[in-house]
Amino acid sequence: MPPDSKDLSSLKEKSSSYHRLQTADFEGMKGRYLTPEELKGFDKYKYKSEDTSPISIYITHPFWNFIVEFFPRWLAPNVLTFSGWCLLFMIFAVTSYYDPHFTASSQSDPEKHLPSVWWLIFAVAQFIAHTLDGCDGKQARRTNSSSPLGELFDHGLDSSAAFLMAISLFSLFGHGPHSVTLWELHCILLACLLGFYTAHWEKYNTGTLFLPWTYDASQLAIAFVYLSTFIFGVNMWKVEIVEGFPLCHVFRWTVYGSSFLTLSMAIYNLYKARMSMTDRGLSFMEGFLPMLSFLVMIFLFSAWAFLSPAGILDLQPRLFFTATGIVFSNMTCRLIVSTMSSQRCQPFNVMLYPVCGFLVIVPFIKSVEIEVALLVVYTAGVAILHLDYGIFVVRELCDHLHINCFSIRRS
């Protein structure tokens, strides 16, 4: 029986009220992180990048061009990006469960190591994650759904993947005899983060993302390392190539060398852009500002570890590295937003203020439990704040661009 006019009128009124309620609810969230100036900057943004790596040109890009054709055209590129990130987080979560203090590989009892099958799973997951990360942009162009949101979403997740991959790799050789110290792991992590951050600092100055030669090489190498560990076991990293130089030291010096190469190429590209007047024309101090923020982060976390009477780095190394990585990721995401919107970079990340306070009180804390509790609360706090930042920046940008993050709007 068809509804009468009163029923239809009531239904329309309820629908209209619900729509106004949803709109008002989101209106209250607008501007939570992105300013009107930043949103206007996104409207003018044009993606510029250069990838001259021989591995990218002759191996990975041809492979991705082949693989992307198998994805359905209704599949949103950001789904590929997020799926790849989830695989990397899975590796991090599993290594955290089995090896919270990076000691599993140093155990003499093989039964206390990570089950060997996980290394095979990690190898496959790492390779698939890298492939999905390489295909997302191609899927966007293939489906005519490219947008500033896609780049921000991709590089934002990559900023957290940088520390997730590094910390996960530490479980290969851990710390102790025939390995490295925890301070060395701290330095290796910072070197990994420096390589990623440098590329975006370079873009902040030049307007062009010069993809590091080391990126694809390192991603493929990580998958190969996991596969080798599955075949030969974690003890392979303790084997001395020459006396006093175990195989794990190859990884250490490779990271340092890669970071130095990336930084050197970035400085060269900055010099070329300045000489040819193709950069953004920033003053020296303005252009150096993002790197100054990164150096302050290094100093504060290193000082915390050094001043800690309880030895927080020895007590909770994975948690300490994770806190460092989350702050780094938030700092990098904010730099990416500033770059894409042509706005000034923040001189100091808000997540570092508590660390400044820790440096004052930590030397006087005699209780191990209290300092560990501070680290736990701080790590949980910055994780929640960073998640909030990421979710609302994506929502605000989606609303501004009138698009959805995980689906392609059909015309």
Side-chain angles (χ1 to χ4, degrees):
M1 183 176 181
D4 57 26
S5 60
K6 288 184 179 180
D7 292 334
L8 287 174
S9 177
S10 176
L11 185 63
K12 289 180 180 179
E13 185 177 347
K14 288 180 180 179
S15 176
S16 177
S17 298
Y18 178 69
H19 177 72
R20 287 197 301 271
L21 182 62
Q22 281 191 315
T23 303
D25 180 61
F26 189 78
E27 287 291 338
M29 296 184 296
K30 278 186 176 181
R32 183 165 181 172
Y33 289 111
L34 297 179
T35 65
E37 292 76 17
E38 287 173 331
L39 291 172
K40 290 179 182 178
F42 275 107
D43 290 334
K44 302 174 184 178
Y45 175 74
K46 298 295 182 184
Y47 178 61
K48 291 176 61 180
S49 69
E50 288 189 18
D51 190 355
T52 58
S53 165
I55 293 178
S56 300
I57 295 172
Y58 298 109
I59 299 177
T60 56
H61 279 291
F63 176 67
W64 296 334
N65 289 332
F66 170 75
I67 292 296
V68 75
E69 295 297 327
F70 291 93
F71 294 122
R73 291 185 179 271
W74 51 260
L75 185 63
N78 288 339
V79 172
L80 302 180
T81 308
F82 186 66
S83 299
W85 181 87
C86 286
L87 290 173
L88 298 178
F89 185 80
M90 178 273 295
I91 298 174
F92 173 80
V94 172
T95 54
S96 297
Y97 174 78
Y98 282 104
D99 187 24
H101 298 94
F102 306 113
T103 56
S105 62
S106 302
Q107 299 286 344
S108 57
D109 185 357
E111 292 186 1
K112 294 183 179 180
H113 296 170
L114 270 76
S116 61
V117 68
W118 277 114
W119 300 115
L120 177 61
I121 295 173
F122 294 166
V124 175
Q126 173 68 37
F127 182 79
I128 294 176
H130 180 223
T131 301
L132 294 176
D133 188 48
C135 288
D136 54 5
K138 297 181 184 297
Q139 177 74 351
R141 290 184 288 273
R142 180 171 171 255
T143 57
N144 196 30
S145 58
S146 299
S147 71
L149 173 68
E151 181 183 346
L152 178 62
F153 190 79
D154 182 11
H155 294 167
L157 286 181
D158 284 346
S159 68
S160 60
F163 79 84
L164 292 176
M165 286 188 291
I167 296 175
S168 299
L169 279 168
F170 292 166
S171 287
L172 286 168
F173 45 82
H175 66 95
H178 304 288
S179 186
V180 295
T181 65
L182 284 171
W183 270 102
E184 191 75 47
L185 291 182
H186 176 66
C187 293
I188 292 173
L189 173 63
L190 295 177
C192 290
L193 301 183
L194 174 62
F196 184 89
Y197 194 81
T198 295
H200 291 282
W201 168 59
E202 183 180 15
K203 186 181 180 183
Y204 180 78
N205 283 271
T206 64
T208 301
L209 180 63
F210 296 91
L211 296 170
W213 279 26
T214 56
Y215 174 70
D216 281 333
S218 64
Q219 299 298 299
L220 295 174
I222 291 172
F224 177 75
V225 162
Y226 283 140
L227 181 61
S228 300
T229 306
F230 166 71
I231 297 172
F232 301 105
V234 293
N235 289 330
M236 68 173 287
W237 301 104
K238 306 295 190 299
V239 176
E240 294 188 351
I241 303 174
V242 295
E243 187 175 355
F245 193 89
L247 189 58
C248 66
H249 285 194
V250 174
F251 172 80
R252 176 180 66 170
W253 291 110
T254 300
V255 170
Y256 291 152
S258 298
S259 297
F260 177 77
L261 176 63
T262 301
L263 183 60
S264 299
M265 293 182 70
I267 293 174
Y268 175 69
N269 289 330
L270 288 173
Y271 173 77
K272 283 201 310 180
R274 178 56 60 95
M275 291 297 100
S276 60
M277 300 182 69
T278 57
D279 62 348
R280 294 179 59 198
L282 303 177
S283 66
F284 175 81
M285 284 306 301
E286 185 68 28
F288 188 72
L289 187 62
M291 190 57 71
L292 180 63
S293 300
F294 182 79
L295 295 175
V296 169
M297 183 199 74
I298 291 177
F299 169 77
L300 290 176
F301 276 99
S302 299
W304 182 4
F306 180 77
L307 295 174
S308 168
I312 195 66
L313 196 58
D314 295 307
L315 293 171
Q316 291 291 338
R318 186 178 289 271
L319 200 59
F320 188 85
F321 295 156
T322 300
T324 306
I326 293 172
V327 175
F328 162 81
S329 181
N330 189 263
M331 181 185 300
T332 307
C333 286
R334 292 176 185 271
L335 173 60
I336 293 170
V337 168
S338 299
T339 302
M340 295 180 69
S341 59
S342 299
Q343 298 298 307
R344 188 173 187 265
C345 170
Q346 288 186 347
F348 192 82
N349 190 279
V350 66
M351 292 183 179
L352 291 174
Y353 284 110
V355 184
C356 294
F358 294 160
L359 296 186
V360 176
I361 64 174
V362 160
F364 303 100
I365 296 177
K366 304 303 180 183
S367 172
V368 173
E369 291 77 11
I370 292 178
E371 188 172 359
V372 171
L374 279 177
L375 177 60
V376 171
V377 171
Y378 176 71
T379 305
V382 294
I384 292 171
L385 288 174
H386 185 47
L387 186 62
D388 182 80
Y389 177 81
I391 290 173
F392 280 97
V393 164
V394 169
R395 291 188 64 175
E396 290 172 30
L397 193 54
C398 281
D399 180 69
H400 179 74
L401 299 175
H402 306 293
I403 58 177
N404 297 315
C405 183
F406 294 114
S407 63
I408 299 175
R409 180 171 294 178
R410 296 181 181 179
S411 56

